Amino acid sequence: MKKLRLIPVMLVLAALFSSCTTVITNTADEIRSGRWEAKLSGGSSVSLSFSGDDGVFEISSDDEYACLKISGLCVMDTDGMILCDSADSEIYKFGYKLKNNRLRLTYDGSSITLTRKN
């Protein structure tokens, strides 16, 4: 009788240990699984984060005119990503290179290196 009580407990434990986790199969998945940040010398900060198929690229500063937020649908391929801003209906294309915990983003000839934050 005690063995029959142990079976449901074992099934629950098996379900918990086999729960779904994010499987990283390519560079785009690895980039989407983290939050990326950089601090600039003037005190501004840059961040890139993801939630599902949406991405948010943000530049924060004490100067309100130097702030920027691009958020919306994000599509990635092997070396670039397109971020479709839902606020202004514009499309922004970024190139990227990932090495270890550093993500180098390029846009219109300029680049910035962000570091993975957990």
Side-chain angles (χ1 to χ4, degrees):
M1 194 63 154
K2 288 184 180 182
K3 289 182 182 179
L4 290 177
R5 290 183 187 167
L6 189 58
I7 290 174
V9 172
M10 295 302 286
L11 289 174
V12 168
L13 287 175
L16 287 174
F17 286 119
S18 64
S19 64
C20 296
T21 59
T22 303
V23 177
I24 297 174
T25 58
N26 55 41
T27 304
D29 288 344
E30 187 171 350
I31 293 170
R32 285 181 180 272
S33 69
R35 176 175 171 80
W36 304 88
E37 295 179 350
K39 297 286 183 188
L40 304 179
S41 59
S44 299
S45 63
V46 178
S47 67
L48 177 66
S49 60
F50 300 92
S51 177
D53 290 334
D54 290 339
V56 177
F57 177 81
E58 189 167 12
I59 300 174
S60 301
S61 173
D62 291 337
D63 180 1
E64 66 181 71
Y65 298 107
C67 296
L68 170 73
K69 184 174 183 178
I70 303 169
S71 64
L73 179 65
C74 183
V75 179
M76 300 178 84
D77 63 11
T78 58
D79 62 349
M81 67 178 171
I82 296 173
L83 192 54
C84 305
D85 190 21
S86 56
D88 65 5
S89 300
E90 291 291 324
I91 296 173
Y92 300 89
K93 182 169 179 13
F94 295 88
Y96 70 77
K97 289 191 182 199
L98 178 65
K99 185 172 183 180
N100 298 327
N101 286 327
R102 299 199 183 275
L103 175 65
R104 183 181 174 116
L105 286 181
T106 57
Y107 179 80
D108 197 28
S110 298
S111 67
I112 187 167
T113 301
L114 298 105
T115 305
R116 181 190 310 267
K117 301 294 179 187
N118 292 338

